[in-house]
Coordinates of all heavy atoms in Angstrom, one line a residue:
K149 N -20.8 -3.8 6.2 CA -19.9 -3.0 7.0 C -18.5 -3.2 6.4 O -18.0 -4.4 6.3 CB -20.0 -3.4 8.5 CG -19.1 -2.7 9.4 CD -19.3 -3.1 10.8 CE -18.3 -2.3 11.7 NZ -18.4 -2.7 13.1
P150 N -17.7 -2.2 6.1 CA -16.4 -2.3 5.6 C -15.5 -2.9 6.7 O -15.7 -2.8 7.9 CB -15.9 -0.8 5.4 CG -17.2 -0.1 5.2 CD -18.2 -0.8 6.1
Y151 N -14.4 -3.6 6.2 CA -13.5 -4.2 7.1 C -12.1 -4.1 6.6 O -11.8 -3.9 5.4 CB -13.8 -5.7 7.4 CG -13.8 -6.6 6.2 CD1 -12.7 -7.2 5.7 CD2 -15.0 -6.8 5.5 CE1 -12.7 -8.0 4.6 CE2 -15.1 -7.6 4.4 CZ -13.9 -8.2 3.9 OH -13.9 -9.0 2.8
F152 N -11.1 -4.2 7.5 CA -9.7 -4.1 7.2 C -9.0 -5.2 8.1 O -9.1 -5.2 9.3 CB -9.2 -2.7 7.6 CG -7.7 -2.5 7.5 CD1 -7.1 -2.2 6.3 CD2 -6.9 -2.7 8.6 CE1 -5.7 -2.0 6.2 CE2 -5.5 -2.5 8.6 CZ -4.9 -2.2 7.3
N153 N -8.2 -6.1 7.4 CA -7.5 -7.1 8.1 C -6.0 -7.1 7.7 O -5.8 -7.0 6.5 CB -8.1 -8.5 7.8 CG -9.5 -8.6 8.4 OD1 -9.8 -8.2 9.5 ND2 -10.4 -9.2 7.6
K154 N -5.2 -7.3 8.7 CA -3.8 -7.5 8.4 C -3.6 -9.1 8.4 O -3.9 -9.7 9.4 CB -2.9 -6.9 9.5 CG -1.4 -7.0 9.2 CD -0.6 -6.3 10.3 CE 0.8 -6.3 10.0 NZ 1.5 -7.5 10.1
T155 N -3.1 -9.6 7.3 CA -3.0 -11.1 7.2 C -1.5 -11.6 7.2 O -1.3 -12.8 7.2 CB -3.6 -11.5 5.9 OG1 -2.9 -10.9 4.7 CG2 -5.1 -11.2 5.8
G156 N -0.6 -10.7 7.3 CA 0.9 -11.0 7.4 C 1.7 -9.8 7.2 O 1.2 -8.7 7.1
T157 N 3.0 -9.9 7.3 CA 3.9 -8.8 7.1 C 3.7 -8.1 5.7 O 3.8 -8.8 4.7 CB 5.4 -9.2 7.2 OG1 5.6 -9.8 8.5 CG2 6.3 -8.0 7.0
G158 N 3.2 -6.9 5.8 CA 3.0 -6.1 4.5 C 1.8 -6.6 3.8 O 1.6 -6.2 2.6
K159 N 0.9 -7.4 4.3 CA -0.3 -7.9 3.6 C -1.6 -7.5 4.3 O -1.7 -7.7 5.5 CB -0.3 -9.4 3.6 CG 0.9 -10.0 2.9 CD 0.9 -9.8 1.4 CE 2.1 -10.4 0.7 NZ 2.2 -10.1 -0.7
Y160 N -2.4 -6.8 3.6 CA -3.7 -6.3 4.2 C -4.8 -6.6 3.2 O -4.6 -6.6 2.0 CB -3.6 -4.8 4.4 CG -2.4 -4.4 5.2 CD1 -1.2 -4.1 4.6 CD2 -2.5 -4.3 6.6 CE1 -0.1 -3.8 5.4 CE2 -1.4 -3.9 7.3 CZ -0.2 -3.6 6.7 OH 0.9 -3.3 7.5
I161 N -6.0 -6.8 3.7 CA -7.2 -7.0 2.9 C -8.2 -5.9 3.4 O -8.5 -5.7 4.6 CB -7.8 -8.4 3.1 CG1 -6.8 -9.4 2.6 CG2 -9.2 -8.5 2.4 CD1 -7.3 -10.8 2.8
I162 N -8.8 -5.2 2.4 CA -9.9 -4.3 2.7 C -11.1 -4.8 1.9 O -11.0 -5.0 0.7 CB -9.5 -2.8 2.3 CG1 -8.2 -2.4 2.9 CG2 -10.7 -1.9 2.6 CD1 -7.6 -1.1 2.3
G163 N -12.2 -4.9 2.6 CA -13.4 -5.5 2.0 C -14.7 -4.7 2.3 O -14.7 -3.9 3.2
N164 N -15.7 -5.1 1.5 CA -17.0 -4.6 1.7 C -17.1 -3.0 1.5 O -17.8 -2.4 2.3 CB -17.6 -5.0 3.0 CG -19.1 -5.2 2.9 OD1 -19.7 -5.3 1.8 ND2 -19.8 -5.2 4.1
V165 N -16.3 -2.5 0.6 CA -16.3 -1.1 0.3 C -16.9 -0.8 -1.1 O -16.4 -1.4 -2.1 CB -14.8 -0.5 0.4 CG1 -14.8 0.9 0.0 CG2 -14.2 -0.8 1.8
I166 N -17.9 -0.1 -1.2 CA -18.5 0.2 -2.4 C -17.6 1.1 -3.3 O -17.1 2.1 -2.8 CB -19.9 0.9 -2.2 CG1 -20.8 0.0 -1.5 CG2 -20.5 1.4 -3.5 CD1 -22.1 0.6 -1.0
G167 N -17.4 0.7 -4.5 CA -16.6 1.6 -5.4 C -15.3 1.1 -5.8 O -14.7 1.5 -6.8
F168 N -14.7 0.2 -5.0 CA -13.3 -0.3 -5.3 C -13.3 -1.1 -6.6 O -12.3 -1.0 -7.3 CB -12.8 -1.2 -4.2 CG -12.1 -0.5 -3.1 CD1 -11.6 -1.2 -2.0 CD2 -11.9 0.8 -3.1 CE1 -10.9 -0.6 -1.0 CE2 -11.2 1.5 -2.1 CZ -10.7 0.8 -1.0
G169 N -14.4 -1.7 -6.9 CA -14.4 -2.5 -8.2 C -14.3 -1.7 -9.4 O -13.9 -2.1 -10.5
S170 N -14.7 -0.4 -9.3 CA -14.6 0.5 -10.5 C -13.4 1.3 -10.5 O -13.2 2.2 -11.3 CB -15.9 1.4 -10.5 OG -15.9 2.2 -9.4
G171 N -12.4 1.1 -9.6 CA -11.2 1.8 -9.6 C -10.9 2.5 -8.3 O -11.8 2.6 -7.4
F172 N -9.7 2.9 -8.1 CA -9.3 3.5 -6.8 C -8.0 4.3 -7.1 O -7.3 4.1 -8.1 CB -9.1 2.5 -5.7 CG -8.2 1.4 -6.1 CD1 -6.8 1.5 -5.9 CD2 -8.7 0.2 -6.6 CE1 -6.0 0.4 -6.3 CE2 -7.9 -0.8 -6.9 CZ -6.5 -0.7 -6.8
T173 N -7.7 5.2 -6.2 CA -6.4 5.9 -6.2 C -5.8 5.7 -4.8 O -6.5 5.4 -3.9 CB -6.6 7.4 -6.5 OG1 -7.5 8.0 -5.5 CG2 -7.2 7.7 -7.9
Y174 N -4.5 6.0 -4.7 CA -3.9 5.9 -3.4 C -2.7 6.8 -3.3 O -2.1 7.3 -4.3 CB -3.4 4.4 -3.1 CG -2.4 3.9 -4.0 CD1 -1.0 4.0 -3.7 CD2 -2.8 3.2 -5.1 CE1 -0.1 3.4 -4.5 CE2 -1.8 2.6 -6.0 CZ -0.5 2.7 -5.7 OH 0.5 2.2 -6.5
V175 N -2.4 7.2 -2.1 CA -1.3 8.1 -1.8 C -0.4 7.4 -0.7 O -0.9 7.0 0.3 CB -1.8 9.5 -1.2 CG1 -0.6 10.3 -0.9 CG2 -2.7 10.1 -2.2
L176 N 0.9 7.3 -1.0 CA 1.8 6.6 -0.2 C 2.5 7.6 0.9 O 2.6 8.8 0.6 CB 3.0 6.0 -1.0 CG 2.5 4.9 -2.0 CD1 3.6 4.5 -2.9 CD2 2.1 3.7 -1.2
P177 N 2.8 7.1 2.0 CA 3.4 8.0 3.0 C 4.9 8.4 2.7 O 5.6 7.6 2.0 CB 3.4 7.1 4.3 CG 3.5 5.7 3.8 CD 2.7 5.7 2.5
K178 N 5.2 9.6 3.0 CA 6.5 10.1 2.8 C 7.1 10.7 4.0 O 6.4 11.0 5.0 CB 6.4 11.3 1.7 CG 6.0 10.8 0.4 CD 5.9 11.9 -0.6 CE 5.4 11.4 -2.0 NZ 5.3 12.5 -2.9
D179 N 8.5 10.8 4.1 CA 9.1 11.4 5.2 C 9.1 12.9 5.0 O 8.6 13.5 4.1 CB 10.6 10.8 5.4 CG 11.5 11.2 4.3 OD1 11.2 12.1 3.5 OD2 12.6 10.5 4.2
E180 N 9.7 13.6 6.0 CA 9.7 15.1 6.0 C 10.5 15.7 4.8 O 10.3 16.8 4.5 CB 10.2 15.7 7.3 CG 11.4 15.1 7.9 CD 11.3 13.7 8.6 OE1 10.2 13.4 9.1 OE2 12.3 13.0 8.6
M181 N 11.3 14.9 4.2 CA 12.0 15.3 3.0 C 11.3 15.0 1.7 O 11.8 15.3 0.6 CB 13.4 14.7 3.0 CG 14.3 15.1 4.2 SD 14.6 16.9 4.3 CE 15.7 17.1 2.9
G182 N 10.2 14.3 1.8 CA 9.4 14.0 0.6 C 9.8 12.6 0.0 O 9.3 12.3 -1.1
N183 N 10.6 11.8 0.7 CA 11.0 10.5 0.2 C 9.9 9.5 0.6 O 9.4 9.5 1.7 CB 12.3 10.1 0.8 CG 13.4 11.0 0.4 OD1 13.6 11.3 -0.8 ND2 14.2 11.5 1.4
L184 N 9.6 8.6 -0.3 CA 8.7 7.5 0.0 C 9.2 6.6 1.1 O 10.3 6.3 1.1 CB 8.4 6.7 -1.3 CG 7.6 7.4 -2.4 CD1 7.6 6.4 -3.6 CD2 6.2 7.7 -2.0
L185 N 8.3 6.3 2.0 CA 8.6 5.4 3.1 C 8.3 3.9 2.7 O 8.8 3.0 3.4 CB 7.8 5.8 4.3 CG 8.2 7.1 4.9 CD1 7.3 7.5 6.1 CD2 9.6 7.2 5.3
C186 N 7.4 3.7 1.8 CA 7.1 2.3 1.3 C 6.4 2.4 0.0 O 6.1 3.5 -0.5 CB 6.2 1.6 2.3 SG 4.6 2.4 2.6
G187 N 6.2 1.3 -0.6 CA 5.5 1.3 -1.9 C 4.4 0.1 -1.8 O 4.5 -0.6 -0.8
C188 N 3.5 0.1 -2.7 CA 2.5 -1.0 -2.6 C 2.0 -1.4 -3.9 O 2.1 -0.7 -4.9 CB 1.4 -0.6 -1.7 SG 0.2 0.6 -2.3
E189 N 1.4 -2.6 -4.0 CA 0.6 -3.1 -5.1 C -0.8 -3.4 -4.5 O -0.9 -3.9 -3.4 CB 1.2 -4.3 -5.7 CG 2.4 -4.1 -6.5 CD 2.9 -5.4 -7.1 OE1 2.6 -6.5 -6.7 OE2 3.6 -5.3 -8.1
I190 N -1.8 -3.0 -5.3 CA -3.1 -3.3 -4.9 C -3.8 -4.0 -6.0 O -3.8 -3.6 -7.1 CB -3.9 -2.0 -4.6 CG1 -3.2 -1.2 -3.5 CG2 -5.3 -2.3 -4.2 CD1 -3.8 0.2 -3.2
T191 N -4.4 -5.2 -5.6 CA -5.2 -5.9 -6.6 C -6.6 -6.0 -6.1 O -6.8 -6.0 -4.8 CB -4.6 -7.3 -6.8 OG1 -4.5 -8.0 -5.6 CG2 -3.2 -7.2 -7.5
F192 N -7.5 -6.2 -7.0 CA -8.9 -6.3 -6.5 C -9.5 -7.6 -7.0 O -9.5 -7.9 -8.2 CB -9.7 -5.1 -7.1 CG -11.1 -5.1 -6.6 CD1 -11.4 -4.6 -5.3 CD2 -12.2 -5.6 -7.3 CE1 -12.7 -4.6 -4.8 CE2 -13.4 -5.6 -6.9 CZ -13.7 -5.1 -5.6
T193 N -10.0 -8.4 -6.1 CA -10.6 -9.7 -6.4 C -11.9 -9.8 -5.6 O -12.0 -10.8 -4.9 CB -9.6 -10.9 -6.1 OG1 -9.2 -10.8 -4.7 CG2 -8.4 -10.8 -7.0
G194 N -12.7 -8.8 -5.6 CA -13.8 -8.8 -4.7 C -13.5 -8.1 -3.4 O -14.3 -7.5 -2.7
E195 N -12.2 -8.1 -3.0 CA -11.7 -7.3 -1.9 C -10.4 -6.7 -2.4 O -9.8 -7.1 -3.4 CB -11.2 -8.3 -0.8 CG -12.3 -9.1 -0.2 CD -11.8 -10.2 0.8 OE1 -10.8 -10.9 0.5 OE2 -12.3 -10.3 1.9
A196 N -10.0 -5.6 -1.8 CA -8.7 -5.0 -2.1 C -7.6 -5.7 -1.4 O -7.6 -5.8 -0.1 CB -8.7 -3.5 -1.8
N197 N -6.7 -6.3 -2.1 CA -5.5 -6.9 -1.5 C -4.3 -6.0 -1.6 O -3.9 -5.7 -2.7 CB -5.2 -8.3 -2.2 CG -6.4 -9.2 -2.1 OD1 -6.5 -9.8 -1.0 ND2 -7.2 -9.4 -3.1
V198 N -3.8 -5.5 -0.5 CA -2.8 -4.5 -0.5 C -1.5 -5.2 0.0 O -1.4 -5.8 1.1 CB -3.1 -3.4 0.5 CG1 -2.0 -2.3 0.4 CG2 -4.4 -2.7 0.1
S199 N -0.4 -5.2 -0.9 CA 0.9 -5.7 -0.5 C 1.8 -4.5 -0.4 O 2.0 -3.7 -1.4 CB 1.4 -6.7 -1.6 OG 0.5 -7.8 -1.7
V200 N 2.5 -4.4 0.7 CA 3.4 -3.3 1.0 C 4.8 -3.7 1.0 O 5.2 -4.8 1.6 CB 3.1 -2.6 2.4 CG1 3.9 -1.4 2.6 CG2 1.6 -2.2 2.4
Y201 N 5.7 -3.0 0.3 CA 7.1 -3.3 0.1 C 8.0 -2.2 0.5 O 7.6 -1.0 0.4 CB 7.4 -3.8 -1.3 CG 6.6 -5.0 -1.7 CD1 5.4 -4.8 -2.5 CD2 6.9 -6.3 -1.4 CE1 4.7 -5.9 -2.9 CE2 6.2 -7.4 -1.8 CZ 5.0 -7.2 -2.5 OH 4.3 -8.3 -2.9
A202 N 9.3 -2.5 0.7 CA 10.3 -1.5 0.9 C 10.6 -0.8 -0.4 O 10.3 -1.3 -1.5 CB 11.6 -2.1 1.5
I203 N 11.1 0.4 -0.3 CA 11.5 1.2 -1.4 C 13.1 1.2 -1.5 O 13.7 1.3 -0.5 CB 11.0 2.7 -1.3 CG1 9.5 2.7 -1.4 CG2 11.7 3.6 -2.3 CD1 9.0 2.4 -2.8
K204 N 13.6 1.0 -2.7 CA 15.0 1.2 -2.9 C 15.2 2.2 -3.9 O 14.3 2.5 -4.7 CB 15.7 -0.1 -3.2 CG 15.3 -0.7 -4.5 CD 16.0 -2.1 -4.8 CE 15.4 -2.8 -6.0 NZ 16.1 -4.0 -6.2
Y205 N 16.3 2.9 -3.9 CA 16.6 4.0 -4.9 C 17.6 3.5 -5.9 O 18.7 3.0 -5.5 CB 17.0 5.3 -4.2 CG 15.8 5.9 -3.5 CD1 15.4 5.6 -2.2 CD2 15.0 6.8 -4.2 CE1 14.3 6.1 -1.6 CE2 13.9 7.4 -3.6 CZ 13.6 7.0 -2.3 OH 12.5 7.6 -1.7
E206 N 17.3 3.6 -7.2 CA 18.2 3.2 -8.2 C 18.3 4.4 -9.2 O 17.3 4.9 -9.7 CB 17.7 2.0 -9.0 CG 17.7 0.7 -8.1 CD 17.2 -0.5 -8.9 OE1 16.7 -0.4 -10.0 OE2 17.3 -1.6 -8.3
D207 N 19.5 4.9 -9.4 CA 19.7 6.1 -10.3 C 18.8 7.3 -9.9 O 18.2 8.0 -10.7 CB 19.4 5.7 -11.7 CG 20.4 4.6 -12.2 OD1 21.6 4.7 -11.8 OD2 20.0 3.8 -13.0
G208 N 18.6 7.4 -8.6 CA 17.8 8.5 -8.1 C 16.3 8.4 -8.1 O 15.6 9.3 -7.8
K209 N 15.8 7.2 -8.6 CA 14.4 6.9 -8.7 C 14.0 5.9 -7.7 O 14.7 4.9 -7.4 CB 14.1 6.4 -10.1 CG 14.3 7.5 -11.1 CD 13.9 6.9 -12.5 CE 14.2 8.0 -13.6 NZ 13.8 7.6 -14.9
A210 N 12.8 6.1 -7.1 CA 12.2 5.1 -6.1 C 11.7 3.9 -6.9 O 11.0 4.1 -7.9 CB 11.1 5.8 -5.3
V211 N 12.1 2.7 -6.4 CA 11.7 1.5 -7.0 C 11.2 0.6 -6.0 O 11.8 0.5 -4.9 CB 13.0 0.8 -7.7 CG1 12.6 -0.5 -8.4 CG2 13.6 1.7 -8.8
L212 N 10.1 -0.1 -6.3 CA 9.5 -1.1 -5.4 C 10.4 -2.3 -5.2 O 10.8 -2.9 -6.2 CB 8.1 -1.5 -5.9 CG 7.1 -2.2 -5.0 CD1 6.7 -1.3 -3.9 CD2 5.9 -2.5 -5.9
D213 N 10.8 -2.7 -4.0 CA 11.6 -3.9 -3.8 C 10.7 -5.0 -3.3 O 10.5 -5.2 -2.1 CB 12.7 -3.6 -2.7 CG 13.7 -4.7 -2.6 OD1 13.4 -5.8 -3.1 OD2 14.7 -4.5 -2.0
K214 N 10.2 -5.8 -4.3 CA 9.2 -6.9 -4.0 C 9.9 -8.0 -3.2 O 9.1 -8.9 -2.8 CB 8.6 -7.4 -5.2 CG 7.7 -6.4 -5.9 CD 7.0 -7.0 -7.1 CE 6.2 -6.0 -7.8 NZ 5.5 -6.7 -8.9
T215 N 11.2 -8.0 -3.0 CA 11.8 -9.0 -2.1 C 11.7 -8.7 -0.7 O 12.1 -9.5 0.2 CB 13.3 -9.2 -2.6 OG1 14.0 -8.1 -2.3 CG2 13.4 -9.6 -4.0
V216 N 11.3 -7.5 -0.3 CA 11.3 -7.0 1.1 C 9.9 -6.5 1.5 O 9.6 -5.3 1.4 CB 12.3 -5.9 1.3 CG1 12.4 -5.5 2.8 CG2 13.7 -6.3 0.8
P217 N 9.0 -7.4 1.9 CA 7.7 -7.0 2.4 C 7.9 -6.3 3.7 O 8.7 -6.7 4.6 CB 6.9 -8.3 2.5 CG 7.9 -9.3 2.6 CD 9.1 -8.9 1.9
I218 N 7.1 -5.2 3.9 CA 7.2 -4.5 5.2 C 5.8 -4.0 5.6 O 4.9 -3.9 4.8 CB 8.1 -3.2 5.1 CG1 7.6 -2.2 4.1 CG2 9.6 -3.6 4.8 CD1 8.3 -0.9 4.2
D219 N 5.6 -3.8 6.9 CA 4.3 -3.3 7.4 C 4.3 -1.8 7.1 O 5.4 -1.1 6.9 CB 4.2 -3.5 8.9 CG 3.9 -4.9 9.2 OD1 3.4 -5.7 8.4 OD2 4.3 -5.3 10.3
I220 N 3.1 -1.2 7.0 CA 3.0 0.2 6.8 C 3.8 0.9 8.0 O 3.6 0.5 9.2 CB 1.5 0.7 6.8 CG1 0.8 0.0 5.6 CG2 1.4 2.2 6.8 CD1 -0.7 0.2 5.7
P221 N 4.6 1.8 7.8 CA 5.4 2.4 8.9 C 4.5 3.0 10.0 O 3.5 3.5 9.8 CB 6.2 3.6 8.2 CG 6.3 3.1 6.8 CD 5.0 2.4 6.5
S222 N 5.0 2.8 11.2 CA 4.3 3.2 12.4 C 3.9 4.7 12.3 O 4.7 5.5 12.0 CB 5.1 2.9 13.6 OG 4.5 3.4 14.8
G223 N 2.7 5.0 12.7 CA 2.2 6.3 12.7 C 1.8 6.9 11.3 O 1.5 8.1 11.1
R224 N 1.9 6.0 10.3 CA 1.7 6.5 8.9 C 0.5 5.6 8.3 O 0.1 4.7 8.9 CB 2.9 6.3 8.0 CG 4.1 7.0 8.5 CD 3.9 8.5 8.5 NE 5.1 9.2 8.9 CZ 5.7 10.1 8.2 NH1 5.2 10.5 7.1 NH2 6.8 10.7 8.7
C225 N 0.0 6.0 7.2 CA -1.0 5.3 6.5 C -0.9 5.3 5.0 O -0.1 6.2 4.5 CB -2.4 5.8 6.9 SG -2.7 7.5 6.4
I226 N -1.5 4.5 4.3 CA -1.7 4.6 2.9 C -3.1 5.0 2.6 O -4.1 4.3 3.0 CB -1.4 3.2 2.2 CG1 0.1 2.8 2.4 CG2 -1.7 3.3 0.7 CD1 0.4 1.5 1.9
D227 N -3.3 6.2 2.0 CA -4.7 6.7 1.8 C -5.2 6.0 0.5 O -4.6 6.3 -0.6 CB -4.7 8.2 1.7 CG -4.3 8.9 3.0 OD1 -4.7 8.4 4.0 OD2 -3.5 9.9 2.9
I228 N -6.3 5.3 0.6 CA -6.9 4.6 -0.6 C -8.3 5.2 -0.7 O -9.1 5.1 0.3 CB -6.9 3.1 -0.4 CG1 -5.5 2.6 -0.1 CG2 -7.5 2.4 -1.6 CD1 -5.4 1.1 0.2
S229 N -8.6 5.6 -1.9 CA -10.0 6.2 -2.2 C -10.6 5.5 -3.3 O -10.0 5.3 -4.4 CB -9.8 7.7 -2.5 OG -9.3 8.4 -1.4
A230 N -11.8 5.1 -3.2 CA -12.6 4.5 -4.3 C -13.0 5.6 -5.2 O -13.2 6.8 -4.8 CB -13.8 3.8 -3.8
K231 N -13.0 5.3 -6.5 CA -13.4 6.4 -7.5 C -14.9 6.5 -7.6 O -15.6 5.6 -7.4 CB -12.8 6.0 -8.9 CG -11.3 6.2 -9.0 CD -10.9 6.0 -10.4 CE -9.4 6.3 -10.5 NZ -8.9 6.1 -11.9

């Protein structure tokens, strides 16, 4: 049975999902103007480890700010699909 656990601020584990080991894609939440609300890194070590961070803008480009872990914004999600 698949599971999803929040282990800390901006830290999530998704496990027991068939297909994650062969790759995955994801879509980040955006506001009504199309700006990213957060960014993430996903590593796979038998489980998908999802780390969510704030976004900062530098020279008009969204950049992951790894110094600021945040939870997925309320009412939003990160869509992750196994390939």
Side-chain angles (χ1 to χ4, degrees):
K149 180 177 177 180
Y151 59 89
F152 173 86
N153 293 318
K154 183 177 187 293
T155 61
T157 301
K159 301 287 183 188
Y160 306 88
I161 295 176
I162 305 169
N164 211 19
V165 177
I166 297 171
F168 271 179
S170 59
F172 51 86
T173 59
Y174 63 93
V175 178
L176 297 169
K178 296 180 180 180
D179 66 15
E180 47 283 331
M181 299 297 290
N183 299 308
L184 290 173
L185 296 175
C186 62
C188 74
E189 285 186 336
I190 302 173
T191 57
F192 185 80
T193 57
E195 301 172 312
N197 297 284
V198 182
S199 298
V200 181
Y201 300 101
I203 291 290
K204 61 183 176 181
Y205 287 87
E206 295 178 354
D207 298 323
K209 294 183 182 181
V211 178
L212 196 62
D213 187 347
K214 291 185 183 181
T215 65
V216 184
I218 62 170
D219 289 332
I220 298 168
S222 180
R224 303 298 181 124
C225 66
I226 297 173
D227 296 321
I228 304 172
S229 300
K231 287 187 176 181

